Amino acid sequence: MKDFIYHAPTEVVFGKESEEKVARLVKKYGGSKVLVHYGGGSAKRSGLLDKICGLLQEGGLEIVLLGGVVPNPRLSLVHKGIELCRKEKVDFILSVGGGSVIDSAKAISYGIPYQGDVWDFYLGKADPACCLPMGCVLTIPAAGSEMSDSSVITNEDGDVKIGYSNQMSRQKFAIMNPVRTFTLPPYQTAAGVTDMMMHTMERYFSHDDDMTLTDAVAEALLRTMKDCVYDVLKDPEDYRARAQIMWGGSIAHNDLTGCGLSGDWATHQLEHELSGMFDATHGAGLAAIWPSWARYVMHENISRFVRFAVNVMDVPNDFTDPEGTALKGIEAMERFYRSIGMPVNIPELIGRDITDAEIEEMVRKCSKDYTVTQGQFKVLQPADMAAIYKMAAKS
Ligand code: NZQ
Ligand code: ZN
């Protein structure tokens, strides 16, 4: 097992009445004037936003509202949020929404005390010296941003989607009420489960050995998510299954399943170009890429893919044919994606064929103008990225 530091400082407040504690939590972490940040309307329609605002005001807190965050959150709204918070002298940011809202809040929070453009952090030109404290009321389990140190922002100028990670962006608290996820449409539910499973798989596909406990946690998480997504697609108000999924999304990306190993993350990097260019749903984009990535890299460590096939996908182990077993695991994953309404290639994701020029543009962005590689399980050169995109381009 590799040496590691595990740092998951977010106070998780989980359960049916959890949002009742919002004002106390904001005050506990030093807030007095709060930016309430939210998305395109689901929180307003469900009444959650009004409830949260009411609770904050009853608790003696001042509020400033900023909605309009879209999936694949945009830099322009981040700039607007920074200006608003400076003008209003906001001292705490509360997100009511999913990964997109929380990521937008993280960027706003970095940008408020910074003299330059917040995009500098995402370009790797600078690191923030400090940021505003943040908390969230999670409404969709998926990205794991409620416990992660990452934020992914899309700059509309060039459709570039880039992630930036910094420990200081960990949420002070995350309020998670599974009941609030009952209203999620099936596609968002499935894309969310696909994303959290991929956060686990990006770590699981590693060459590090001696990870007995970490592997067992990862496999239990993957199996549980796989079972529970069917339950909630059948009955969106199945509290037990919604609750497993909500907690699963957090532990899939709070680094617990990465202790003692180095993660891969190539599928994520390849996908970010898809959602940056086509505004695709992140989780669906991952499903469109992973089978091609898996077939392309499996020979780097067949036994890892065999283990995945047997322990996660319930494929019988054919000891005489490890490659066949590994392939059956990938095929079983494709069947799973299809069964929950996810695409398994790029045409299914974007509704048309992708051109060679578009593939080349994604390779250029993913390799940062042909200067960086991606992944660890197999280190991907730009030519490998192109090969995977081309495999995924076939319907
Ligand atoms: O905008 P509203 O109207 O709220 O609708 C949202 C949005 O359309 C809807 N929704 C959310 N909660 C709902 C609901 N609809 C009905 N009922 C509810 N309770 O769901 C849609 C998707 O929301 P979004 O926040 O975009 O989803 P998600 O949490 O999947 O976030 C995706 C973003 O996170 C990034 C992705 O790249 C993508 O930009 N990621 C962030 C990570 C991180 N910060 O650690 C890691 C991930 O790998 C990922 O890259
Ligand atoms: Zn993800």
Side-chain angles (χ1 to χ4, degrees):
M1 191 188 268
K2 281 202 159 123
D3 296 351
F4 64 88
I5 293 172
Y6 180 60
H7 181 67
T10 304
E11 179 174 348
V12 174
V13 182
F14 194 99
K16 287 180 182 157
E17 306 300 328
S18 50
E19 59 244 17
E20 301 294 333
K21 303 186 180 73
V22 67
R24 183 177 64 70
L25 285 162
V26 171
K27 285 190 267 189
K28 175 175 173 182
Y29 291 105
S32 60
K33 188 164 187 180
V34 185
L35 178 78
V36 180
H37 202 30
Y38 60 98
S42 70
K44 184 109 196 116
R45 281 193 300 279
S46 69
L48 177 63
L49 188 69
D50 287 346
K51 179 171 185 190
I52 294 293
C53 290
L55 287 166
L56 292 173
Q57 285 168 322
E58 276 168 32
L61 294 157
E62 284 186 79
I63 58 170
V64 176
L65 289 168
L66 181 62
V69 181
V70 292
N72 303 316
R74 308 297 201 268
L75 182 61
S76 54
L77 191 72
V78 169
H79 285 148
K80 193 171 161 189
I82 292 168
E83 288 205 358
L84 180 66
C85 289
R86 284 180 182 157
K87 185 169 135 253
E88 296 286 345
K89 300 199 171 18
V90 158
D91 57 17
F92 194 95
I93 304 180
L94 180 73
S95 298
V96 182
S100 295
V101 178
I102 302 169
D103 285 5
S104 179
K106 288 178 180 177
I108 293 171
S109 154
Y110 292 140
I112 294 166
Y114 182 59
Q115 294 306 308
D117 185 347
V118 67
W119 191 240
D120 288 351
F121 305 138
Y122 294 80
L123 290 177
K125 290 184 181 167
D127 285 306
C130 57
C131 72
L132 244 59
M134 287 165 275
C136 64
V137 181
L138 189 68
T139 63
I140 169 171
S145 189
E146 69 279 5
M147 287 190 84
S148 83
D149 64 353
S150 310
S151 153
V152 191
I153 297 295
T154 297
N155 184 345
E156 306 92 307
D157 186 6
D159 292 338
V160 193
K161 183 172 176 180
I162 306 182
Y164 174 68
S165 298
N166 191 312
Q167 290 292 341
M168 69 174 67
S169 76
R170 303 262 188 194
Q171 303 294 286
K172 297 292 182 201
F173 64 82
I175 290 176
M176 297 189 216
N177 178 355
V179 173
R180 294 292 175 183
T181 69
F182 287 179
T183 51
L184 275 172
Y187 189 77
Q188 290 297 341
T189 297
V193 167
T194 302
D195 190 18
M196 62 185 75
M197 289 178 73
M198 194 61 66
H199 293 157
T200 312
M201 287 150 65
E202 296 276 20
R203 295 171 168 102
Y204 183 84
F205 285 99
S206 164
H207 296 295
D208 299 304
D209 46 19
D210 191 20
M211 318 180 290
T212 318
L213 179 59
T214 301
D215 275 348
V217 173
E219 287 164 359
L221 202 158
L222 290 168
R223 285 195 307 268
T224 306
M225 295 306 104
K226 212 156 56 68
D227 290 347
C228 287
V229 71
Y230 289 128
D231 294 338
V232 298
L233 290 176
K234 219 181 312 150
D235 175 9
E237 302 200 0
D238 181 333
Y239 182 87
R240 186 202 68 85
R242 287 283 190 197
Q244 310 305 309
I245 291 175
M246 196 162 210
W247 182 222
S250 298
I251 56 175
H253 205 29
N254 73 2
D255 295 335
L256 185 64
T257 63
C259 292
L261 53 87
S262 22
D264 183 73
W265 298 103
T267 305
H268 262 74
Q269 295 302 330
L270 292 164
E271 192 290 319
H272 281 172
E273 306 314 332
L274 276 176
S275 43
M277 191 180 278
F278 300 104
D279 204 17
T281 299
H282 169 64
L286 294 169
I289 289 287
W290 186 81
S292 299
W293 172 85
R295 287 194 176 89
Y296 191 77
V297 307
M298 64 182 236
H299 292 103
E300 300 293 311
N301 188 341
I302 281 284
S303 61
R304 199 75 193 140
F305 274 89
V306 169
R307 180 175 173 141
F308 174 77
V310 174
N311 288 4
V312 179
M313 303 311 297
D314 295 324
V315 173
N317 198 349
D318 179 349
F319 291 95
T320 64
D321 183 14
E323 185 173 335
T325 306
L327 272 172
K328 281 187 185 141
I330 298 169
E331 286 159 11
M333 196 67 191
E334 279 177 320
R335 279 197 300 281
F336 167 71
Y337 286 149
R338 283 195 193 285
S339 72
I340 61 169
M342 287 290 100
V344 296
N345 55 50
I346 296 174
E348 286 181 10
L349 176 73
I350 66 173
R352 66 163 171 85
D353 287 339
I354 186 166
T355 67
D356 287 347
E358 286 168 333
I359 288 181
E360 197 47 47
E361 178 65 0
M362 291 199 296
V363 170
R364 185 184 69 72
K365 287 178 177 166
C366 196
S367 63
K368 304 211 184 317
D369 286 317
Y370 310 101
T371 61
V372 302
T373 59
Q374 296 293 353
Q376 301 261 347
F377 192 79
K378 176 177 173 64
V379 175
L380 303 180
Q381 303 292 336
D384 300 309
M385 299 172 200
I388 294 169
Y389 280 136
K390 281 185 182 148
M391 285 168 73
K394 293 193 188 108
S395 46

